[in-house]
Amino acid sequence: MDESAWKLFDRVAGDYDQVAPFFAEYGRAIMDVLDPPAGCRVLDLGAGRGALTAPALARGCAVTAVDAAPAMVERLSADHPAATAYVMDAEDLDLPADSFDLVVSSFVIHVLDRPAAGVAEAYRVLAPGGRFAFTGGSARTSHRGGGKPDAPAFPLGPRLDALFGEFAVHLPPNGSMGTPVDAAELLEEAGFEDLREESAQVAIEFRDHETLWRWAMSHGYRAFIEDLPDEHRAEFHRRVLALPAEDRVLHRATGIWSGRKPG
């Protein structure tokens, strides 16, 4: 992961998923879809504060969690002592090959500097027959390689989505964080087979728009907001606070893309 990315997550670790349990809710929904059995050896890749780790542990899985941000790993270890946690780059895992039954990554692959390297590492550490699943990708698209998304990598409410798209034109070159990734292409190029697309859904309610703003500043969207020029950042803030009341409930769905390592 690019140094600026993990440093941002290190900065926000104290508030990450504490303003609203967004990633925790998604983690439970994703694990419900994947349904790993007790005893499954799970690698949580880019684990944050443990949104996937917690429900995997609750199912009796043996969980290893890695993240490039030391502050995230410190908090994950304190909250989930049953997990084995490491500060580690998802693109260069210091883990043995063929050692996990399931590798899962939630909203991480698209923010890696080299997404294909992260997927290749997931393939390497999986045991034959194991499955890699991730969110934050998309169906086959015309995107190849770099470029800047003109909206968040996963959908918000339609009006908040539209705001991100409107203000993206004010970002400097290489501003914000993340690039569009073609999920099927990444999986196929790494050697995965039996590709699947499933989905997880959550509904997150915010007490007020100030809480919605604090939430946006507590995770990766902060890169988008901080990279806006001052006058546009102030206007973006005003526009978020002026959203209709119904936009305080975000009904969200994400694709879960997965592939199996042959064996």
Side-chain angles (χ1 to χ4, degrees), residues 148-261:
K148 182 172 59 188
D150 58 2
F154 46 98
L156 298 157
R159 280 177 288 265
L160 191 52
D161 258 348
L163 273 185
F164 274 96
E166 176 185 341
F167 279 78
V169 299
H170 303 302
L171 291 169
N174 301 314
S176 191
M177 180 188 299
T179 56
V181 296
D182 184 318
E185 182 178 86
L186 283 174
L187 291 167
E188 287 175 349
E189 289 185 349
F192 288 101
E193 58 184 27
D194 184 23
L195 271 55
R196 300 178 187 173
E197 179 188 1
E198 299 169 285
S199 66
Q201 300 183 18
V202 299
I204 307 295
E205 182 172 1
F206 296 88
R207 181 173 62 252
D208 49 42
H209 281 67
E210 282 288 358
T211 305
L212 177 63
W213 177 260
R214 287 176 50 226
W215 169 77
M217 293 294 286
S218 71
H219 59 94
Y221 286 158
R222 186 170 184 142
F224 181 102
I225 295 166
E226 290 185 340
D227 284 346
L228 289 171
D230 290 347
E231 67 274 18
H232 295 298
R233 188 184 317 120
E235 176 63 16
F236 185 77
H237 185 198
R238 287 193 292 272
R239 296 277 296 279
V240 170
L241 297 186
L243 286 169
E246 58 265 29
D247 279 21
R248 294 203 303 264
V249 181
L250 301 184
H251 296 276
R252 307 290 300 279
T254 184
I256 304 171
W257 301 90
S258 72
R260 181 174 56 82
K261 182 175 180 176

Side-chain angles (χ1 to χ4, degrees), residues 92-131:
D92 185 20
L93 297 173
D94 186 17
L95 296 168
D98 305 336
S99 53
F100 296 97
D101 305 307
L102 173 66
V103 177
V104 63
S105 187
S106 181
F107 305 118
V108 172
I109 297 300
H110 70 283
V111 304
L112 296 180
D113 199 36
R114 298 177 297 140
V119 176
E121 279 293 86
Y123 184 95
R124 182 183 65 82
V125 301
L126 272 171
R131 183 164 287 273

Side-chain angles (χ1 to χ4, degrees), residues 34-124:
L34 297 176
D35 196 22
C40 182
R41 297 170 299 170
V42 174
L43 173 62
D44 185 354
L45 193 65
R49 291 189 55 163
L52 293 169
T53 292
L57 288 172
R59 289 171 172 270
C61 299
V63 181
T64 298
V66 303
D67 198 281
M72 290 288 196
V73 174
E74 180 181 358
R75 285 167 172 78
L76 184 150
S77 296
D79 293 341
H80 308 292
T84 302
Y86 300 107
V87 177
M88 200 173 291
D89 186 349
E91 299 172 20
D92 185 20
L93 297 173
D94 186 17
L95 296 168
D98 305 336
S99 53
F100 296 97
D101 305 307
L102 173 66
V103 177
V104 63
S105 187
S106 181
F107 305 118
V108 172
I109 297 300
H110 70 283
V111 304
L112 296 180
D113 199 36
R114 298 177 297 140
V119 176
E121 279 293 86
Y123 184 95
R124 182 183 65 82

